[in-house]
């Protein structure tokens, strides 16, 4: 696990492959509309799922890019969904996403043509902020003040022992991820301004731990891989000028390292981050950059 209180120094920084643009068509099939990607998820086969919106009409859309192909497929989208809504994808390609009013969780099973409601109850259900799914199919949902786990196959939800005192002053817990060991990670939006920004609840524990500080910044996404490496899409800070960038906390380390994406992240969200195997994916937003509206990937060398 990526325990935030691990002792010792970080191991040598990992090396990465050359940054690659995922072959996502700029124009949607059968239309003259461009697609701007936002939240992103990847299933166990490497199929990429991306929520976004089209230009020039601003219609929300959900795409699946099957592994090894360059042609995205348009998936059915609930009319209440909007581009900013977080999404999560399980190993089988089932997609979970909030409605546009942040009040309900819906699931699109792999191959299905319609969405179905996933019952969930939180103190601030009117402001659902994060969703993640683990390798067993358990679903984790956050609002500003709490996190619950929905067991795969049904059964009563469980409230996890997170506490978010900063939510009392308008700082929400969001951007949730789960690693291969069942450790749960939650980032507090704007939390680093006054305290730790990312918390970890190790599997089987009742005590969340603060990960090392990521500095005075905003967090726009968090992801975790099977080994417990944690990735954060973070905002401007003194070490990164004005652009968003990605940092990694390797499992067992106490030091964050920069993931060398170079062509991304000039403006504000929607952006997204996901990890599958040893590959990290990010989406770029609309900006003055020639690389806006793309999905980028970097693969960590073994």
């Amino acid at each position: 696990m990526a325990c935030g209180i691990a002792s010792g120094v970080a191991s040598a920084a990992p090396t990465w492959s050359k940054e690659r643009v995922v072959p996502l068509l700029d124009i949607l099939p059968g239309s003259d509309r461009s697609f701007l990607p936002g939240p992103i998820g990847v299933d166990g086969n490497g199929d990429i799922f991306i929520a976004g919106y089209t230009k020039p009409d601003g219609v929300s859309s959900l795409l699946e890019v099957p592994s090894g192909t360059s042609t995205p497929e348009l998936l059915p989208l609930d009319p209440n969904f909007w581009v900013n809504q977080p999404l999560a994808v399980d190993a089988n390609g089932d997609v979970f996403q909030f409605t546009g009013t942040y009040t309900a969780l819906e699931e699109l099973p792999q191959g299905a043509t319609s969405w179905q409601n996933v019952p969930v109850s939180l103190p601030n259900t009117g402001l659902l902020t994060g969703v993640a799914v683990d390798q067993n199919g358990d679903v984790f949902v956050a609002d500003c003040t709490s996190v619950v786990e929905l067991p795969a196959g049904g059964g009563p939800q469980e409230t996890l022992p997170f506490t978010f005192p900063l939510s009392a002053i308008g700082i929400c817990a969001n951007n949730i991820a789960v690693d291969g060991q069942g450790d749960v990670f939650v980032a507090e939006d704007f939390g680093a301004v006054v305290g730790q920004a990312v918390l970890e609840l190790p599997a089987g524990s009742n005590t969340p731990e603060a990960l090392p500080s990521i500095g005075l910044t905003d967090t726009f996404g968090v992801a975790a891989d099977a080994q417990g490496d944690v990735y954060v899409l973070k905002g401007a800070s003194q070490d990164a000028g004005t652009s968003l960038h990605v940092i990694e906390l390797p499992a067992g380390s106490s030091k964050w390292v920069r993931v060398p994406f170079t062509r991304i992240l000039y403006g504000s969200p929607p952006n997204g981050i996901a990890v599958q195997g040893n590959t990290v994916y990010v989406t770029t937003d609309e900006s003055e950059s020639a690389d806006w509206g793309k999905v980028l990937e970097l693969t960590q060398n073994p």
Side-chain angles (χ1 to χ4, degrees):
M1 72 184 69
C3 177
I5 57 174
S7 60
V9 297
S11 58
T15 60
W16 296 84
S17 66
K18 183 178 180 181
E19 186 174 328
R20 172 178 175 266
V21 177
V22 173
L24 177 68
L25 296 179
D26 291 331
I27 303 297
L28 295 182
S31 77
D32 59 356
R33 297 178 298 165
S34 298
F35 177 75
L36 298 178
I40 184 171
V42 187
D43 70 13
N45 297 318
D47 300 343
I48 304 170
F49 298 79
I50 313 158
Y53 66 96
T54 58
K55 289 188 69 177
D57 49 5
V59 174
S60 296
S61 299
L62 180 66
L63 300 186
E64 176 182 0
V65 186
S67 177
T69 74
S70 59
T71 304
E73 302 173 2
L74 275 170
L75 298 180
L77 192 66
D78 186 294
N80 291 321
F81 289 151
W82 188 49
V83 62
N84 277 335
Q85 308 307 69
L87 66 81
V89 182
D90 68 14
N92 299 319
D94 303 329
V95 184
F96 299 85
Q97 193 174 27
F98 300 140
T99 63
T101 53
Y102 293 87
T103 57
L105 176 64
E106 303 262 328
E107 175 187 3
L108 181 68
Q110 175 61 238
T113 58
S114 61
W115 292 75
Q116 59 191 39
N117 179 260
V118 179
V120 61
S121 176
L122 290 102
N124 294 288
T125 303
L127 188 58
L128 299 177
T129 55
V131 60
V133 58
D134 68 14
Q135 61 186 8
N136 299 317
D138 300 328
V139 180
F140 299 79
V141 185
D143 65 8
C144 270
T145 61
S146 55
V147 179
V148 299
E149 177 181 355
L150 308 176
Q157 70 178 35
E158 176 186 356
T159 300
L160 302 186
F162 283 99
T163 57
F164 303 105
L166 299 181
S167 63
I169 55 175
I171 297 173
C172 276
N174 63 2
N175 298 320
I176 186 170
V178 188
D179 69 13
Q181 288 75 48
D183 306 327
V184 182
F185 303 88
V186 184
E188 290 183 313
D189 191 23
F190 302 103
V193 174
V194 291
Q196 294 287 349
V198 184
L199 299 177
E200 174 191 4
L201 181 67
S205 172
N206 290 318
T207 306
E209 305 171 1
L211 299 188
S213 173
I214 61 173
L216 300 179
T217 184
D218 305 333
T219 57
F220 295 113
V222 61
D225 64 19
Q227 292 74 40
D229 303 326
V230 183
Y231 300 86
V232 172
L233 176 59
K234 62 175 288 191
S237 64
Q238 293 180 346
D239 65 333
T242 59
S243 66
L244 301 176
H245 59 290
V246 178
I247 56 175
E248 176 193 5
L249 184 67
S253 174
S254 60
K255 182 177 177 61
W256 294 91
V257 294
R258 182 83 173 262
V259 178
F261 286 102
T262 60
R263 302 190 300 169
I264 60 172
L265 314 175
Y266 289 84
S268 58
N271 290 90
I273 182 169
V275 58
Q276 171 61 30
N278 59 345
T279 300
V280 181
Y281 302 83
V282 295
T283 57
T284 69
D285 68 349
E286 181 178 8
S287 74
E288 68 276 10
S289 166
D291 291 306
W292 65 265
K294 297 186 184 300
V295 178
L296 304 176
E297 69 174 41
L298 276 174
T299 299
Q300 189 168 305
N301 297 320

